[in-house]
Protein backbone atom coordinates (compact mmCIF):
# COMPACT_ATOMS: atom_id res chain seq x y z
CA UNK A 1 0.00 0.00 0.00
CA UNK A 2 1.43 3.36 -1.06
CA UNK A 3 1.02 6.74 0.62
CA UNK A 4 0.85 9.47 -2.03
CA UNK A 5 1.69 12.99 -0.82
CA UNK A 6 0.82 14.64 -4.14
CA UNK A 7 -1.96 14.50 -6.67
CA UNK A 8 -2.04 11.64 -9.16
CA UNK A 9 -3.92 10.55 -12.25
CA UNK A 10 -5.72 7.28 -12.98
CA UNK A 11 -8.46 6.01 -15.26
CA UNK A 12 -10.72 4.61 -12.54
CA UNK A 13 -10.83 5.54 -8.86
CA UNK A 14 -12.68 3.15 -6.52
CA UNK A 15 -13.80 3.88 -2.95
CA UNK A 16 -16.07 1.79 -0.77
CA UNK A 17 -17.93 1.75 2.55
CA UNK A 18 -18.05 5.45 3.40
CA UNK A 19 -20.99 4.95 5.82
CA UNK A 20 -21.85 8.62 5.68
CA UNK A 21 -24.01 9.67 8.62
CA UNK A 22 -22.06 8.05 11.46
CA UNK A 23 -19.35 9.81 13.51
CA UNK A 24 -16.55 7.53 12.31
CA UNK A 25 -17.09 8.42 8.61
CA UNK A 26 -14.39 10.45 6.83
CA UNK A 27 -16.19 12.71 4.31
CA UNK A 28 -13.67 15.55 4.55
CA UNK A 29 -10.76 13.26 3.72
CA UNK A 30 -12.60 11.71 0.78
CA UNK A 31 -13.52 15.13 -0.57
CA UNK A 32 -9.84 16.01 -0.41
CA UNK A 33 -8.97 12.88 -2.39
CA UNK A 34 -11.54 13.64 -5.10
CA UNK A 35 -10.24 17.19 -5.43
CA UNK A 36 -6.59 16.11 -5.61
CA UNK A 37 -6.85 13.22 -8.06
CA UNK A 38 -7.68 13.29 -11.76
CA UNK A 39 -9.77 10.41 -13.05
CA UNK A 40 -12.13 9.47 -15.87
CA UNK A 41 -14.36 7.20 -13.79
CA UNK A 42 -15.32 7.09 -10.11
CA UNK A 43 -16.82 3.91 -8.66
CA UNK A 44 -18.58 4.21 -5.30
CA UNK A 45 -18.56 0.58 -4.25
CA UNK A 46 -21.57 0.45 -1.93
CA UNK A 47 -22.51 1.42 1.63
CA UNK A 48 -21.82 5.05 0.79
CA UNK A 49 -24.69 6.00 3.10
CA UNK A 50 -25.11 4.14 6.40
CA UNK A 51 -28.90 4.50 6.68
CA UNK A 52 -31.77 6.99 6.55
CA UNK A 53 -30.19 9.21 9.21
CA UNK A 54 -29.81 12.30 7.02
CA UNK A 55 -30.33 14.56 10.03
CA UNK A 56 -26.99 13.26 11.28
CA UNK A 57 -25.11 14.49 8.20
CA UNK A 58 -22.40 16.99 9.04
CA UNK A 59 -21.40 19.92 6.84
CA UNK A 60 -18.52 17.87 5.36
CA UNK A 61 -20.95 15.13 4.32
CA UNK A 62 -23.24 17.59 2.53
CA UNK A 63 -20.20 19.16 0.85
CA UNK A 64 -19.11 15.72 -0.38
CA UNK A 65 -22.58 14.91 -1.76
CA UNK A 66 -22.69 18.27 -3.51
CA UNK A 67 -19.29 17.56 -5.04
CA UNK A 68 -20.52 14.15 -6.27
CA UNK A 69 -23.50 15.86 -7.87
CA UNK A 70 -21.16 18.27 -9.67
CA UNK A 71 -19.00 15.38 -10.87
CA UNK A 72 -22.08 13.51 -12.10
CA UNK A 73 -23.03 16.56 -14.18
CA UNK A 74 -19.60 16.57 -15.84
CA UNK A 75 -19.88 14.68 -19.12
CA UNK A 76 -16.14 13.95 -19.05
CA UNK A 77 -16.42 11.87 -15.85
CA UNK A 78 -18.40 8.67 -15.35
CA UNK A 79 -19.83 8.11 -11.87
CA UNK A 80 -20.86 4.57 -10.91
CA UNK A 81 -22.66 4.05 -7.58
CA UNK A 82 -22.94 0.36 -6.63
CA UNK A 83 -25.66 -0.69 -4.20
CA UNK A 84 -24.53 -1.99 -0.80
CA UNK A 85 -26.49 -3.72 1.94
CA UNK A 86 -26.74 -0.42 3.86
CA UNK A 87 -27.82 1.90 1.04
CA UNK A 88 -29.60 -0.42 -1.42
CA UNK A 89 -33.05 0.84 -0.39
CA UNK A 90 -31.94 4.47 -0.66
CA UNK A 91 -31.65 4.42 -4.45
CA UNK A 92 -34.48 6.95 -5.07
CA UNK A 93 -33.04 9.37 -2.50
CA UNK A 94 -29.54 9.02 -3.94
CA UNK A 95 -30.86 9.87 -7.40
CA UNK A 96 -32.63 12.93 -5.99
CA UNK A 97 -29.60 14.18 -4.03
CA UNK A 98 -26.85 13.49 -6.56
CA UNK A 99 -28.46 12.66 -9.90
CA UNK A 100 -26.69 9.27 -9.85
CA UNK A 101 -28.55 6.05 -10.66
CA UNK A 102 -27.47 3.17 -8.43
CA UNK A 103 -26.79 -0.28 -9.84
CA UNK A 104 -25.99 -3.78 -8.52
CA UNK A 105 -22.72 -4.29 -10.40
CA UNK A 106 -20.54 -2.79 -13.10
CA UNK A 107 -18.27 -4.28 -15.78
CA UNK A 108 -15.57 -2.54 -17.80
CA UNK A 109 -12.36 -3.28 -19.69
CA UNK A 110 -9.02 -1.60 -19.07
CA UNK A 111 -5.65 -2.59 -20.49
CA UNK A 112 -7.17 -5.73 -22.05
CA UNK A 113 -8.32 -6.98 -18.65
CA UNK A 114 -12.00 -7.49 -17.84
CA UNK A 115 -13.15 -5.98 -14.53
CA UNK A 116 -16.21 -6.66 -12.41
CA UNK A 117 -17.20 -4.39 -9.50
CA UNK A 118 -19.85 -5.20 -6.89
CA UNK A 119 -20.26 -4.51 -3.20
CA UNK A 120 -19.75 -8.07 -1.99
CA UNK A 121 -22.66 -8.47 0.43
CA UNK A 122 -24.09 -11.22 -1.78
CA UNK A 123 -21.11 -13.35 -0.72
CA UNK A 124 -21.88 -12.82 2.99
CA UNK A 125 -24.21 -15.70 3.84
CA UNK A 126 -25.34 -14.20 7.12
CA UNK A 127 -26.53 -11.01 5.39
CA UNK A 128 -28.23 -12.85 2.52
CA UNK A 129 -29.94 -15.41 4.77
CA UNK A 130 -30.87 -13.06 7.61
CA UNK A 131 -31.82 -9.76 6.01
CA UNK A 132 -34.15 -8.60 8.80
CA UNK A 133 -31.65 -9.44 11.53
CA UNK A 134 -28.92 -7.80 9.49
CA UNK A 135 -30.95 -4.58 9.26
CA UNK A 136 -31.50 -4.61 13.02
CA UNK A 137 -27.79 -5.06 13.62
CA UNK A 138 -27.09 -2.18 11.25
CA UNK A 139 -29.49 0.07 13.15
CA UNK A 140 -27.92 -0.99 16.44
CA UNK A 141 -24.46 -0.22 15.12
CA UNK A 142 -25.63 3.21 13.97
CA UNK A 143 -27.16 3.87 17.41
CA UNK A 144 -23.94 2.90 19.19
CA UNK A 145 -21.92 5.10 16.83
CA UNK A 146 -24.14 8.15 17.34
CA UNK A 147 -25.30 7.84 20.94
CA UNK A 148 -22.88 5.65 22.90
CA UNK A 149 -19.49 6.67 21.50
CA UNK A 150 -18.37 10.27 21.05
CA UNK A 151 -16.32 9.57 17.93
CA UNK A 152 -17.68 6.12 17.05
CA UNK A 153 -14.35 4.48 17.84
CA UNK A 154 -15.19 1.48 19.99
CA UNK A 155 -18.08 0.29 17.77
CA UNK A 156 -15.68 0.47 14.80
CA UNK A 157 -13.09 -1.61 16.67
CA UNK A 158 -15.73 -4.22 17.54
CA UNK A 159 -16.87 -4.33 13.92
CA UNK A 160 -13.32 -5.05 12.73
CA UNK A 161 -12.79 -7.70 15.40
CA UNK A 162 -16.00 -9.44 14.32
CA UNK A 163 -14.84 -9.46 10.71
CA UNK A 164 -11.52 -11.04 11.61
CA UNK A 165 -12.93 -13.63 14.02
CA UNK A 166 -15.65 -14.69 11.57
CA UNK A 167 -13.14 -14.95 8.69
CA UNK A 168 -15.59 -12.93 6.59
CA UNK A 169 -12.84 -11.42 4.44
CA UNK A 170 -11.64 -14.83 3.28
CA UNK A 171 -15.16 -16.08 2.63
CA UNK A 172 -16.05 -13.06 0.50
CA UNK A 173 -12.76 -13.25 -1.42
CA UNK A 174 -13.18 -16.94 -2.33
CA UNK A 175 -16.83 -16.61 -3.35
CA UNK A 176 -16.22 -13.40 -5.29
CA UNK A 177 -13.39 -15.02 -7.26
CA UNK A 178 -15.63 -17.98 -8.18
CA UNK A 179 -18.39 -15.60 -9.20
CA UNK A 180 -16.00 -13.57 -11.36
CA UNK A 181 -14.61 -16.68 -13.07
CA UNK A 182 -18.11 -17.81 -14.03
CA UNK A 183 -18.67 -14.40 -15.61
CA UNK A 184 -15.36 -14.36 -17.48
CA UNK A 185 -13.88 -11.49 -15.46
CA UNK A 186 -10.13 -11.27 -14.87
CA UNK A 187 -10.41 -8.95 -11.87
CA UNK A 188 -13.18 -8.58 -9.29
CA UNK A 189 -13.31 -5.66 -6.86
CA UNK A 190 -15.48 -5.59 -3.73
CA UNK A 191 -16.03 -3.74 -0.49
CA UNK A 192 -18.26 -4.83 2.42
CA UNK A 193 -15.59 -6.39 4.68
CA UNK A 194 -13.70 -3.09 5.27
CA UNK A 195 -10.43 -5.00 4.77
CA UNK A 196 -8.16 -3.65 1.98
CA UNK A 197 -6.51 -6.70 0.43
CA UNK A 198 -5.39 -8.30 -2.82
CA UNK A 199 -5.63 -12.04 -3.45
CA UNK A 200 -4.77 -13.94 -6.62
CA UNK A 201 -6.73 -17.13 -7.21
CA UNK A 202 -5.07 -19.56 -9.59
CA UNK A 203 -7.36 -21.48 -11.90
CA UNK A 204 -8.73 -21.58 -15.39
CA UNK A 205 -8.42 -18.65 -15.73
CA UNK A 206 -6.62 -16.87 -12.87
CA UNK A 207 -8.69 -14.21 -11.05
CA UNK A 208 -7.42 -11.25 -9.05
CA UNK A 209 -9.57 -10.20 -6.10
CA UNK A 210 -9.26 -6.72 -4.62
CA UNK A 211 -11.08 -5.20 -1.69
CA UNK A 212 -11.12 -1.40 -1.57
CA UNK A 213 -11.36 -1.24 2.23
CA UNK A 214 -13.35 1.56 3.86
CA UNK A 215 -13.47 5.21 4.95
CA UNK A 216 -14.51 4.58 8.55
CA UNK A 217 -12.43 5.36 11.63
CA UNK A 218 -8.74 5.47 10.77
CA UNK A 219 -9.17 3.65 7.46
CA UNK A 220 -8.90 5.68 4.23
CA UNK A 221 -8.00 3.23 1.47
CA UNK A 222 -8.93 3.15 -2.21
CA UNK A 223 -8.11 1.50 -5.53
CA UNK A 224 -6.62 3.17 -8.60
CA UNK A 225 -7.07 1.28 -11.89
CA UNK A 226 -5.42 2.01 -15.23
CA UNK A 227 -3.68 0.16 -18.05
CA UNK A 228 -0.86 -0.79 -15.67
CA UNK A 229 -3.24 -2.65 -13.37
CA UNK A 230 -4.71 -2.05 -9.90
CA UNK A 231 -2.99 -0.14 -7.10
CA UNK A 232 -4.18 -0.36 -3.51
CA UNK A 233 -3.44 2.96 -1.87
CA UNK A 234 -4.15 5.12 1.17
CA UNK A 235 -5.10 8.75 1.42
CA UNK A 236 -2.85 10.87 3.62
CA UNK A 237 -4.96 12.40 6.40
CA UNK A 238 -4.38 14.82 9.20
CA UNK A 239 -4.81 13.52 12.73
CA UNK A 240 -8.43 13.34 13.84
Amino acid sequence: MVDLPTAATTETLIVSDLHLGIPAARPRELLGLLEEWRFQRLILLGDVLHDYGFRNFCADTWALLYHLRRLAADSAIEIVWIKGNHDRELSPIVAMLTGIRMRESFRWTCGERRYLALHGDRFDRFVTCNRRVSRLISRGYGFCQRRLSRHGRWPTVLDRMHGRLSDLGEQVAVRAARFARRRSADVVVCGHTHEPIHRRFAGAPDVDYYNAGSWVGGSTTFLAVDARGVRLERQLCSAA
Side-chain angles (χ1 to χ4, degrees), residues 67-140:
H67 186 73
L68 291 175
R69 186 176 184 88
R70 290 179 59 193
L71 290 177
D74 186 345
S75 59
I77 299 176
E78 181 180 18
I79 308 294
V80 178
W81 189 319
I82 302 296
K83 297 178 181 179
N85 51 298
H86 280 266
D87 57 13
R88 179 169 282 106
E89 297 177 355
L90 301 176
S91 181
I93 299 176
V94 167
M96 180 182 66
L97 289 175
T98 66
I100 303 171
R101 178 180 62 85
M102 296 174 68
R103 61 184 82 187
E104 285 291 340
S105 62
F106 180 70
R107 298 175 66 101
W108 80 103
T109 300
C110 181
E112 299 183 355
R113 301 196 79 190
R114 295 162 295 186
Y115 289 80
L116 172 63
L118 63 168
H119 181 62
D121 55 311
R122 71 174 66 190
F123 309 120
D124 183 339
R125 289 179 178 170
F126 179 82
V127 170
T128 56
C129 296
N130 304 276
R131 295 191 181 279
R132 291 186 178 179
V133 175
S134 179
R135 283 196 291 268
L136 288 175
I137 293 175
S138 173
R139 292 171 185 170

Side-chain angles (χ1 to χ4, degrees), residues 5 26 30-31 33 37 44 63 65 74 92 99 105 109 112 144 154 166 185 189 200 202 214 216 236-237:
R26 308 295 292 269
L30 180 57
L31 181 57
L33 175 76
W37 277 66
L44 305 167
L65 291 174
D74 186 345
S105 62
T109 300
E112 299 183 355
C144 291
W154 68 259
S166 65
V189 293
R200 186 170 181 82
S214 73
V216 176
L236 289 175
C237 300

Side-chain angles (χ1 to χ4, degrees), residues 24 34 59 69-70 141 146 163 174:
L34 299 182
R69 186 176 184 88
R70 290 179 59 193
Y141 179 76
R146 294 161 180 154
V174 171

Side-chain angles (χ1 to χ4, degrees), residues 112-197:
E112 299 183 355
R113 301 196 79 190
R114 295 162 295 186
Y115 289 80
L116 172 63
L118 63 168
H119 181 62
D121 55 311
R122 71 174 66 190
F123 309 120
D124 183 339
R125 289 179 178 170
F126 179 82
V127 170
T128 56
C129 296
N130 304 276
R131 295 191 181 279
R132 291 186 178 179
V133 175
S134 179
R135 283 196 291 268
L136 288 175
I137 293 175
S138 173
R139 292 171 185 170
Y141 179 76
F143 177 81
C144 291
Q145 280 269 342
R146 294 161 180 154
R147 301 288 181 263
L148 304 181
S149 177
R150 183 177 180 183
H151 299 292
R153 289 173 180 166
W154 68 259
T156 300
V157 172
L158 289 180
D159 181 57
R160 291 175 181 169
M161 288 179 59
H162 169 263
R164 292 168 184 169
L165 292 174
S166 65
D167 200 28
L168 178 61
E170 177 68 13
Q171 296 174 30
V172 170
V174 171
R175 293 166 188 159
R178 292 173 181 167
F179 184 83
R181 187 174 287 122
R182 292 197 301 268
R183 283 154 179 77
S184 302
D186 304 305
V187 183
V188 58
V189 293
C190 293
H192 187 60
T193 67
H194 296 192
E195 295 178 305
I197 62 172

